[in-house]
Amino acid sequence: MLQNYRKIMVAVDGSSEAELAFQKAMNVAMRNDAELLLAHVIDTRAFQSVSSFDGVLAEQATEMAKQTLEGYKEQAKEQGCERVSSVIEYGSPKPLIAKQLPQDHDVDLIMLGATGLNAVERLLIGSVSEYVIRNAACDVLVVRTDLDNKIPVQQDDE
């Protein structure tokens, strides 16, 4: 008997890496007849140092996240992905994506884009994908390629 995933969570943040993960997650969800959960985490640590603006910034971040998720949901439904839901959480992305959201939503596969960090940034702050791989209780698929399984060409070489 083939093993099917029932609920696939894809972490989206508006980056090109997350876009690739979303595209592949739609396909995997449809092949498995699974529900697709679109997850966006607003990192509240970014607002802590700007106390006078944190309320406004948090509201703007939430509004942008809602618009982003709605766009992804519409795109998924247009592609034939019937069961799509979304969630916005606030806090540190690493434990939320690796542990809390999968537990709360009964997720059995997490899909996320490969990090955009360079070696020094990974050393200093660590990548979300690296943390999720090490700490998630369910399967994790890190997307590095496009739908043709080709490594995407970087637009800006830094």
Side-chain angles (χ1 to χ4, degrees):
M1 181 168 159
L2 293 175
Q3 190 268 328
N4 281 344
Y5 293 107
R6 295 177 323 280
K7 192 163 212 180
I8 299 166
M9 180 178 82
V10 60
V12 292
D13 62 4
S15 68
S16 57
E17 293 86 3
E19 174 68 24
L20 292 174
F22 166 71
Q23 295 292 330
K24 285 201 173 181
M26 276 192 308
N27 289 332
V28 173
M30 288 187 290
R31 278 196 306 271
N32 284 265
D33 191 28
E35 181 179 341
L36 181 62
L37 174 64
L38 307 170
H40 183 86
V41 177
I42 296 174
D43 193 341
T44 53
R45 297 169 302 177
F47 305 123
Q48 291 172 350
S49 60
V50 202
S51 60
S52 60
F53 298 108
D54 63 355
V56 173
L57 291 174
E59 285 176 24
Q60 289 175 340
T62 300
E63 196 50 46
M64 285 179 62
K66 285 180 182 175
Q67 290 174 5
T68 300
L69 289 172
E70 276 308 308
Y72 280 129
K73 280 168 95 170
E74 286 177 25
Q75 190 177 344
K77 291 190 178 193
E78 286 171 7
Q79 295 292 323
C81 198
E82 298 293 323
R83 295 180 295 144
V84 185
S85 58
S86 64
V87 61
I88 298 173
E89 277 294 337
Y90 303 85
S92 176
K94 291 177 186 179
L96 282 167
I97 293 169
K99 298 175 183 174
Q100 193 64 50
L101 286 169
Q103 181 180 337
D104 291 350
H105 296 275
D106 197 26
V107 168
D108 53 5
L109 175 64
I110 300 169
M111 294 181 68
L112 65 168
T115 180
L117 301 178
N118 65 35
V120 175
E121 290 169 326
R122 268 195 311 277
L123 180 64
L124 294 174
I125 61 173
S127 78
V128 172
S129 54
E130 192 175 345
Y131 182 90
V132 172
I133 289 165
R134 283 197 317 264
N135 293 282
C138 64
D139 289 350
V140 178
L141 191 147
V142 177
V143 175
R144 298 183 185 281
T145 59
D146 62 19
L147 293 176
D148 296 320
N149 291 325
K150 305 261 187 283
I151 295 175
V153 178
Q154 293 295 331
Q155 299 301 323
D156 55 303
D157 290 334
E158 298 175 338

